[in-house]
């Protein structure tokens, strides 16, 4: 009896060993495939990439709400030029809740810049790179960022053209042409990188920078939606590879893939947005030597950020 039981157990053990071996081979194959796709994406974009290649110090940490936050910056110059940040956003992903949130900080916001006195928030990038901008945001708004990502204008154009070869479908709400280098007509249309850049940069109308920030947030949501409708988890490594040469970031590729994978597989992919300053919390002011600024009620804006990020 005991001998028979022992003989029956051997095939079962062997069967489980085979199953484990197959699973390990599948995992190894998936990793190898992802790596090859990632490298192919990099090779596809590398010759066109002309972005800032400086390695920046960045000492950020997770935000106080348990999320992973990324300081997203659009730069108005290339290479080693000192430039102001044309676009300032803080993106938060919360793995426990599966939420994606985006805070836009208007570039004319008048703040304390550590070690440099008062100035427009976008000047902090020119004075001390993403680390000083991170410190400035933390000191004035009490939120931190663990990572940074910088895309300059030329990189943005190439990135859009590589990732969306048929263009990005977006509703252009009005005719736009002043100081953006392209002419846009109203209506639903597909925009290539150059025209989409013009769309997100336009601000010469009655609403000025407020309209531009609204278009930037709208474009981020549109890009996320259209990427998810076209791509799959299997194609994600190549797209991350395509993006990599156009973005200066301290995020590792595995972290980008992890967040991207969760976004693709999520049932609710909505990106919530907030603009700083919020309505009723600021006034226009003119400062000698600085120009027109937005003077904020910081307590109101810090509370709005807390309410937005807290679960």
């Amino acid at each position: 009896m005991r001998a028979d039981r022992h003989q029956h157990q051997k095939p079962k053990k062997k069967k489980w060993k085979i199953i484990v071996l197959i699973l390990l081979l599948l995992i190894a194959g998936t990793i190898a495939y992802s790596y090859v796709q990632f490298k192919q994406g990099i090779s596809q974009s590398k010759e066109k990439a002309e972005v800032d290649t400086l390695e920046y110090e960045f000492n950020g940490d997770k935000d106080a709400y348990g999320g992973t936050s990324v300081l997203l910056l659009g730069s108005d110059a290339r290479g080693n030029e000192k430039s102001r940040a044309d676009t300032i956003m803080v993106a938060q992903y919360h793995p426990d809740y599966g939420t994606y949130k985006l805070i836009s900080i208007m570039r004319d916001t008048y703040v304390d810049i550590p070690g440099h006195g008062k100035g427009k928030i976008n000047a902090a990038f020119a004075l001390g790179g993403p680390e000083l901008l991170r410190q400035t945001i933390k000191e004035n708004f009490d939120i931190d960022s663990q990572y940074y990502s910088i895309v300059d204008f030329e990189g943005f154009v190439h990135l859009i053209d590589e990732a969306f070869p048929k263009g990005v479908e977006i509703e252009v709400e009005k005719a736009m042409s002043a100081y953006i280098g392209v002419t846009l007509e109203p209506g639903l249309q597909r925009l290539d990188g150059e025209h989409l850049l013009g769309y997100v940069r336009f601000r010469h109308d009655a609403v000025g920078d407020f309209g531009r920030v609204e278009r930037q947030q709208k474009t981020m949501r549109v890009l996320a939606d259209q990427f998810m409708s076209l791509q799959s988890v299997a194609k994600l490594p190549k797209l991350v590879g395509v993006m990599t040469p156009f973005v200066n970031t301290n995020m590792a590729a595995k972290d980008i893939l992890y967040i991207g994978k969760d976004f693709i597989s999520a049932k609710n992919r909505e990106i919530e947005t907030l603009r700083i300053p919020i309505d009723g919390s600021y006034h226009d002011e003119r400062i000698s030597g600085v120009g027109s600024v937005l003077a904020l009620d910081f307590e109101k804006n810090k509370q709005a950020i807390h309410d937005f990020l807290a679960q």
Side-chain angles (χ1 to χ4, degrees):
M1 294 278 297
R2 289 180 181 175
D4 290 343
R5 187 182 302 166
H6 183 67
Q7 287 174 359
H8 283 299
Q9 285 177 345
K10 280 187 178 181
K12 287 184 179 180
K13 286 183 179 179
K14 189 175 181 181
K15 182 180 179 182
W16 277 110
K17 284 181 181 179
I18 293 172
I19 292 172
V20 170
L21 180 60
I22 290 172
L23 287 173
L24 289 174
L25 288 172
L26 285 172
I27 292 169
T30 301
I31 293 172
Y33 171 80
S34 298
Y35 180 77
V36 170
Q37 290 292 300
F38 174 70
K39 287 297 185 180
Q40 283 182 355
I42 290 179
S43 299
Q44 185 175 320
S45 300
K46 207 164 187 178
E47 291 182 3
K48 298 179 182 178
E50 300 178 49
V51 299
D52 181 356
T53 56
L54 290 173
E55 291 187 14
Y56 292 102
E57 174 188 5
F58 199 75
N59 301 313
D61 203 349
K62 284 191 173 184
D63 62 44
Y65 307 95
T68 298
S69 292
V70 184
L71 181 58
L72 302 176
L73 304 173
S75 171
D76 61 2
R78 292 182 306 191
N80 296 332
E81 297 177 35
K82 286 190 175 180
S83 60
R84 297 195 172 207
D86 191 73
T87 301
I88 302 170
M89 297 179 173
V90 177
Q92 187 217 51
Y93 164 63
H94 204 299
D96 294 339
Y97 302 99
T99 54
Y100 300 83
K101 300 186 178 184
L102 189 66
I103 302 172
S104 293
I105 304 175
M106 297 191 66
R107 63 180 190 169
D108 289 341
T109 300
Y110 197 51
V111 295
D112 287 313
I113 301 175
H116 297 273
K118 286 186 171 293
K120 292 183 180 182
I121 193 168
N122 68 334
F125 181 70
L127 292 168
E131 170 60 12
L132 182 59
L133 183 52
R134 179 197 68 80
Q135 292 175 20
T136 301
I137 293 172
K138 186 175 182 181
E139 179 172 310
N140 290 272
F141 299 106
D142 199 27
I143 50 171
D144 205 351
S145 296
Q146 188 175 2
Y147 302 106
Y148 75 85
S149 291
I150 307 168
V151 182
D152 69 23
F153 292 160
E154 194 67 25
F156 178 85
V157 170
H158 288 313
L159 176 56
I160 294 301
D161 289 342
E162 289 288 347
F164 300 91
K166 294 182 180 179
V168 175
E169 187 174 77
I170 197 164
E171 180 77 34
V172 179
E173 60 271 20
K174 64 180 76 174
M176 304 175 189
S177 60
Y179 303 101
I180 58 174
V182 294
T183 298
L184 298 172
E185 298 298 334
L188 183 65
Q189 54 202 283
R190 287 191 173 273
L191 301 182
D192 61 12
E194 184 180 10
H195 287 79
L196 188 62
L197 175 63
Y199 177 75
V200 298
R201 292 197 68 200
F202 180 76
R203 63 188 180 97
H204 292 276
D205 59 3
V207 291
D209 237 16
F210 287 89
R212 184 174 72 156
V213 167
E214 187 177 329
R215 280 187 289 277
Q216 289 172 352
Q217 291 185 339
K218 170 186 171 181
T219 301
M220 291 290 286
R221 292 192 296 268
V222 167
L223 289 175
D225 288 344
Q226 292 187 25
F227 165 60
M228 294 313 139
S229 67
L230 295 172
Q231 304 296 328
S232 66
V233 174
K235 294 178 181 178
L236 184 60
K238 185 172 183 180
L239 189 72
V240 171
V242 166
M243 292 169 55
T244 297
F246 297 123
V247 181
N248 183 324
T249 182
N250 65 336
M251 289 189 75
K254 62 180 178 61
D255 295 319
I256 299 172
L257 287 167
Y258 170 71
I259 295 174
K261 175 183 65 64
D262 280 6
F263 188 74
I264 289 173
S265 58
K267 292 181 180 178
N268 179 14
R269 296 171 182 158
E270 181 183 357
I271 299 177
E272 300 175 59
T273 58
L274 176 71
R275 187 205 69 215
I276 297 296
I278 61 171
D279 291 338
S281 71
Y282 68 93
H283 64 272
D284 295 317
E285 196 171 312
R286 190 160 192 87
I287 306 295
S288 178
V290 179
S292 297
V293 302
L294 299 173
L296 273 60
D297 180 327
F298 284 96
E299 290 308 313
K300 280 187 178 180
N301 283 282
K302 283 194 284 188
Q303 185 62 48
I305 290 171
H306 169 77
D307 294 342
F308 181 67
L309 294 179
Q311 301 297 326

